Amino acid sequence: MPGAVGTAAAAGSADRVANWYLQRAMGATSPILWWDRLSAPVLDLCARVTSLFAPSVARAVLFRPLTPTPTEPPTTPEEPAA
């Protein structure tokens, strides 16, 4: 907004921690799990944002290794998470 004054767009320490957590969450869990069971319900306002910080999700985010980024497209469909 032209002429707007303030620091509303400046990222604070809580914003940096939340961004780190969410970036790591996308790489620490299965992409299908992340979208179908976590992100989509929150974005559709069917689940609370706190569901992204549930103990099982937090454990996966904080303690599991990141999934490597694929270098090529998959050759077979991904199996659904059990």
Side-chain angles (χ1 to χ4, degrees), residues 10-23:
S13 58
D15 295 324
R16 287 191 291 275
V17 170
N19 287 337
W20 174 85
Y21 180 89
L22 294 174
Q23 287 295 322

Side-chain angles (χ1 to χ4, degrees), residues 21 25 28-29 33 37-38 50-64:
Y21 180 89
T29 58
L33 171 74
R37 296 187 60 201
L38 299 172
T50 55
S51 66
L52 298 175
F53 300 94
S56 59
V57 177
R59 239 185 334 273
V61 170
L62 299 174
F63 299 115
R64 289 189 185 157

Side-chain angles (χ1 to χ4, degrees), residues 24-80:
R24 184 152 168 94
M26 288 187 275
T29 58
S30 163
I32 289 178
L33 171 74
W34 172 252
W35 181 253
D36 289 347
R37 296 187 60 201
L38 299 172
S39 295
V42 171
L43 292 174
D44 292 342
L45 302 177
C46 295
R48 295 176 185 251
V49 174
T50 55
S51 66
L52 298 175
F53 300 94
S56 59
V57 177
R59 239 185 334 273
V61 170
L62 299 174
F63 299 115
R64 289 189 185 157
L66 295 176
T67 307
T69 303
T71 56
E72 297 179 6
T75 57
T76 58
E78 185 173 319
E79 295 296 321

